[in-house]
Amino acid sequence: YRLFNKQGEVNDTDELEHRFNDRLNRPIYLANADRLLKIPDQPIAYWVSNKVAELFVNYLPLSSFGKPRQGLATGDNDQFLRYWWEVATTRIGFGITSRELATESHKTWFPCNKGGPFRKWYGNHHYVVDWESDGKRIRNFYDEDGNLRSRPQNIDFAFREGMTWSTVTISRLSMRISPIGHMFETKGSVCFFNDHSMLEYGLAFANTSIVEKLLLALAPTTDYHEGPLGKLPFIVIEHNKDSICAIARNCVALAKEDWDEFESSWNFSVMPLLPHAISSATLEDSWRHWVDHLGSRITQLQQLEYENNKLWIEAYGLRDEISPEILAKDITLSRPDRRKDMAAFLSYAVGCMMGRYSLDKPGLILADAGDTLEDYKRKIGGRRKGLGDRGEGSVQTDPYALPPNPSPLTPVPFSFTPDEDGIIPVLDGEWFEDDVVARVREFLRVTFGPETLAENIKFIEESLGKDLRKYFLTDFYKDHLQTYKKRPIYWMFQSPKKGFQCLIYLHRYTRDTVNRVLNRYLREYIAKLRSRIEQLQHVMNTENASSRDKTQARKESDQLKKTLRECEDWERDVLLPLAQQRIELDLDDGVKVNYLKLGAALAPIAGLAAQEED
């Protein structure tokens, strides 16, 4: 009896007993040794039919056509792996084609596959690995007893194109293209084909329902390592090979377009919710176009996956056992979500305030150590080589991209000036001209025009379930931490009870940043609080003031006095000593190390100081 529906499913005893006695929905499987012996390693896969078992006898294994390989084990991921957004982009080698060119590039960090959540075709590109000087530090990483802690295996396959998957998952297998220029780690294994023309064909095969069924026999646990994958029976359907490759190519292109429309992609170019070439009078109009676009893309990919399934099922002769149908919920593309989409829109707006992005030029602008407003003007005004300041002849562009689409996703250029010092106040009112809410309003005026400002703010606030100021005071940083996986690029300076808050941009941080927060913002805020308290005291002492006005003034004054005391204590005990230290950050150390250097001045991040698992 098979008492579970999918691997990793947890049921209580009563449910298991119910399933055991459910003869209608839980059939009895009868298996014999002859059938089981046909399956590599002879697992007790009693549920496998004779027809499926025969496939292992009749066809060559996938390993005859490609080499599934496990990647390097760093020995200490905290030391050698980073999220790509943590480090300076000029120190990342994107699109490198060989180990020799990687060494010649003098870069430190290189894209690295490390598994990730269930996602087909393209994506999960989050990590970079320290492979400077051909991995000198990793290859010489010894413990105190002289034992090599790392395992730099299969490095001759580094930077080659292949297909990658998450080797440990409670979900199903999901295969993705691994573009040229990637290293790979133990949890992000890669299959490299002997004949490069087989890559797209093999990727199409790996993302079928057939493979899911076959792997239930070969790897009936949560570990899809290289062994079981290499034993999959693999058919070369010559008369449909070109069609299958075309399907895979289109699937990758759709998944890539989807991946690159979010900030977590290093190929993120423009915010899709900006006004488009077609008329988008309001942010809501633009979001409606976005919803239609996402729905259309899901439908396209669903149809492609159906066609792909159908071709392979016919070839394997499994029409009676497997359906080619693909449910929309199993399509691993983004879905519209008003709250998340508006949070992403505001995140992009903050990025434009900081100079990370620009309305005048696509892609990353300021993303190196200690970038300034002058750097922004230079990069906007001149030709920018692109991510990582790539050198000529050392890289190859990713071939998987949809052709340019001039319709709903082409932005129109605007002009929006970043903040001068990269410090944005997040307070309970517009105490400063560059207050975050004031700048959001300015951003909306520039992008959608002043005539729809009120309507656009209303749409944002209805989507968020709260007004803009409350969102930035309470939710923005939570969303930012989730987007950037607790390795934020915008850091929140925050007094103990949040009486004072401001955002800084990691890549614009200098040794004088804390001093600027202290002198240009906190001390000025304290002075403004005192001035306001004096004004309120005057109201309370004025004979002609109404009782209501005096009561309101007293309440506001009492609250401001609490905030004032909090800010004064924080200035004396935390920010002033920190400013005097003029702490220097090294982006190569990563957020985990650097964030803790500023200690109590920043909003706490749960679990940041805890040791991560490899």
Side-chain angles (χ1 to χ4, degrees):
Y1 297 96
R2 191 171 180 82
L3 301 183
F4 59 90
N5 295 319
K6 62 180 180 178
Q7 192 62 40
E9 188 178 51
V10 178
N11 304 107
D12 59 31
T13 304
D14 290 341
E15 174 63 18
L16 289 174
E17 183 176 350
H18 170 74
R19 292 185 179 191
F20 183 82
N21 293 306
D22 185 1
R23 295 294 184 264
L24 181 63
N25 297 307
R26 299 284 165 179
I28 298 173
Y29 291 94
L30 300 176
N32 58 59
D34 288 340
R35 185 196 310 164
L36 299 179
L37 288 171
K38 294 175 183 177
I39 305 172
D41 299 329
Q42 291 82 51
I44 309 300
Y46 56 86
W47 57 87
V48 171
S49 68
N50 286 325
K51 187 176 290 187
V52 170
E54 285 291 333
L55 297 175
F56 293 99
V57 177
N58 295 335
Y59 300 103
L60 292 172
L62 180 63
S63 59
S64 297
F65 300 86
K67 300 176 179 64
R69 291 289 184 268
Q70 187 182 65
L72 62 90
T74 68
D76 186 348
N77 282 353
D78 274 354
Q79 183 173 167
F80 297 114
L81 283 178
R82 298 282 181 269
Y83 288 114
W84 71 266
W85 52 79
E86 297 183 70
V87 302
T89 53
T90 51
R91 293 179 61 78
I92 303 176
F94 289 98
I96 300 293
T97 56
S98 69
R99 288 171 58 193
E100 292 75 21
L101 289 172
T103 301
E104 293 173 9
S105 73
H106 301 294
K107 304 294 185 183
T108 298
W109 304 98
F110 299 87
C112 184
N113 295 312
K114 196 183 181 301
F118 180 73
R119 183 179 176 90
K120 293 180 180 179
W121 306 110
Y122 187 96
N124 290 353
H125 298 156
H126 287 134
Y127 289 93
V128 289
V129 64
D130 177 357
W131 199 250
E132 187 176 16
S133 301
D134 201 32
K136 181 179 180 180
R137 279 182 283 271
I138 288 179
R139 297 171 74 180
N140 292 279
F141 185 43
Y142 293 91
D143 63 21
E144 58 187 14
D145 297 322
N147 300 311
L148 186 65
R149 289 185 58 183
S150 61
R151 194 170 69 249
Q153 58 195 351
N154 294 314
I155 58 176
D156 288 340
F157 291 92
F159 305 112
R160 289 175 51 182
E161 192 175 25
M163 61 181 190
T164 185
W165 70 100
S166 306
T167 55
V168 178
T169 176
I170 61 173
S171 186
R172 294 165 290 156
L173 179 80
S174 57
M175 195 69 71
R176 297 170 293 279
I177 202 78
S178 176
I180 285 174
H182 283 62
M183 300 286 293
F184 56 111
E185 192 254 6
T186 53
K187 294 183 177 67
S189 297
V190 179
C191 181
F192 303 92
F193 284 87
N194 305 331
D195 179 354
H196 183 267
S197 68
M198 293 292 290
L199 174 58
E200 293 168 345
Y201 183 82
L203 181 66
F205 164 71
N207 280 329
T208 61
S209 303
I210 294 172
V211 167
E212 181 181 344
K213 190 176 188 72
L214 295 173
L215 282 177
L216 282 175
L218 293 172
T221 64
T222 59
D223 187 358
Y224 296 128
H225 58 87
E226 304 73 33
L229 195 82
K231 292 167 183 166
L232 290 168
F234 191 63
I235 300 175
V236 179
I237 318 168
E238 291 293 349
H239 66 283
N240 275 328
K241 183 180 175 184
D242 290 344
S243 297
I244 289 172
C245 287
I247 288 173
R249 199 176 307 119
N250 288 329
C251 289
V252 171
L254 289 169
K256 183 180 189 302
E257 180 191 57
D258 175 76
W259 181 260
D260 290 342
E261 285 174 346
F262 295 89
E263 286 185 28
S264 53
S265 167
W266 53 63
N267 286 320
F268 175 75
S269 180
V270 295
M271 162 53 59
L273 295 179
L274 292 178
H276 304 128
I278 62 174
S279 176
S280 292
T282 66
L283 180 57
E284 182 175 4
D285 290 338
S286 188
W287 184 76
R288 299 294 176 193
H289 289 308
W290 167 245
V291 171
D292 292 342
H293 176 70
L294 294 186
S296 174
R297 187 163 60 199
I298 289 170
T299 300
Q300 289 180 63
L301 187 55
Q302 185 179 9
Q303 183 60 36
L304 287 167
E305 289 198 22
Y306 170 82
E307 294 295 335
N308 186 54
N309 254 345
K310 188 175 179 182
L311 290 171
W312 287 98
I313 289 170
E314 289 290 331
Y316 277 86
L318 296 176
R319 291 184 299 277
D320 297 334
E321 296 196 31
I322 302 176
S323 168
E325 296 296 331
I326 298 290
L327 299 178
K329 69 180 182 65
D330 293 327
I331 299 300
T332 53
L333 296 177
S334 306
R335 267 67 175 173
D337 182 307
R338 271 184 67 175
R339 189 200 177 279
K340 288 183 178 179
D341 294 339
M342 289 307 105
F345 180 82
L346 293 176
S347 177
Y348 180 76
V350 171
C352 290
M353 296 175 205
M354 295 297 192
R356 182 173 177 84
Y357 307 113
S358 172
L359 293 175
D360 299 311
K361 196 166 189 175
L364 287 175
I365 308 299
L366 298 185
D368 299 320
D371 269 337
T372 64
L373 189 58
E374 287 67 32
D375 294 321
Y376 176 89
K377 293 175 181 176
R378 175 177 52 81
K379 292 180 178 182
I380 289 297
R383 177 180 179 272
R384 189 168 68 99
K385 290 183 179 179
L387 288 175
D389 198 23
R390 305 168 185 176
E392 296 298 328
S394 64
V395 301
Q396 179 169 324
T397 57
D398 191 335
Y400 297 99
L402 293 173
N405 182 358
S407 64
L409 295 178
T410 300
V412 276
F414 302 99
S415 181
F416 180 81
T417 305
D419 190 78
E420 181 180 359
D421 55 15
I423 301 172
I424 308 291
V426 183
L427 301 170
D428 61 359
E430 289 188 15
W431 296 85
F432 294 89
E433 289 184 0
D434 58 349
D435 168 76
V436 66
V437 175
R439 294 237 62 193
V440 167
R441 290 174 178 272
E442 180 186 352
F443 184 82
L444 286 168
R445 288 190 191 98
V446 170
T447 52
F448 286 91
E451 62 279 355
T452 59
L453 176 61
E455 185 176 351
N456 290 331
I457 290 176
K458 180 181 178 182
F459 180 72
I460 292 173
E461 292 181 338
E462 287 177 350
S463 302
L464 297 173
K466 57 185 63 178
D467 67 46
L468 270 176
R469 189 163 299 282
K470 187 172 183 180
Y471 171 75
F472 277 103
L473 287 171
T474 61
D475 289 9
F476 173 81
Y477 206 54
K478 295 176 185 176
D479 290 340
H480 183 64
L481 292 177
Q482 185 174 19
T483 298
Y484 286 92
K485 302 180 182 296
K486 294 189 177 182
R487 299 295 185 269
I489 55 172
Y490 311 131
W491 291 5
M492 182 76 85
F493 275 77
Q494 185 181 90
S495 60
K497 295 183 180 179
K498 304 181 181 180
F500 176 86
Q501 295 184 122
C502 72
L503 290 167
I504 70 163
Y505 179 24
L506 171 61
H507 294 262
R508 292 184 66 182
Y509 176 91
T510 70
R511 295 173 65 188
D512 295 320
T513 295
V514 181
N515 190 52
R516 290 194 181 97
V517 171
L518 173 64
N519 288 302
R520 296 187 183 181
Y521 293 92
L522 179 61
R523 284 177 172 169
E524 187 173 342
Y525 181 52
I526 287 173
K528 290 180 177 182
L529 287 174
R530 289 170 178 161
S531 176
R532 178 59 179 163
I533 290 170
E534 289 179 3
Q535 292 174 2
L536 294 170
Q537 188 64 46
H538 177 72
V539 172
M540 289 184 283
N541 294 336
T542 300
E543 293 182 2
N544 295 332
S546 67
S547 299
R548 179 180 178 184
D549 288 343
K550 289 183 178 181
T551 300
Q552 289 178 341
R554 186 177 299 109
K555 288 181 180 180
E556 184 181 348
S557 178
D558 290 343
Q559 181 58 50
L560 292 181
K561 286 178 181 178
K562 292 179 182 178
T563 302
L564 177 61
R565 286 192 295 272
E566 176 194 349
C567 290
E568 289 174 335
D569 292 345
W570 191 60
E571 174 197 8
R572 180 189 65 248
D573 299 336
V574 176
L575 212 57
L576 177 58
L578 195 65
Q580 292 171 338
Q581 294 178 52
R582 300 186 74 237
I583 291 173
E584 190 162 0
L585 304 182
D586 184 345
L587 294 186
D588 283 345
D589 290 338
V591 170
K592 185 174 183 180
V593 171
N594 287 320
Y595 201 86
L596 298 178
K597 288 181 181 179
L598 302 187
L602 299 176
I605 299 177
L608 186 68
Q611 186 69 24
E612 291 184 334
E613 297 181 359
D614 283 352

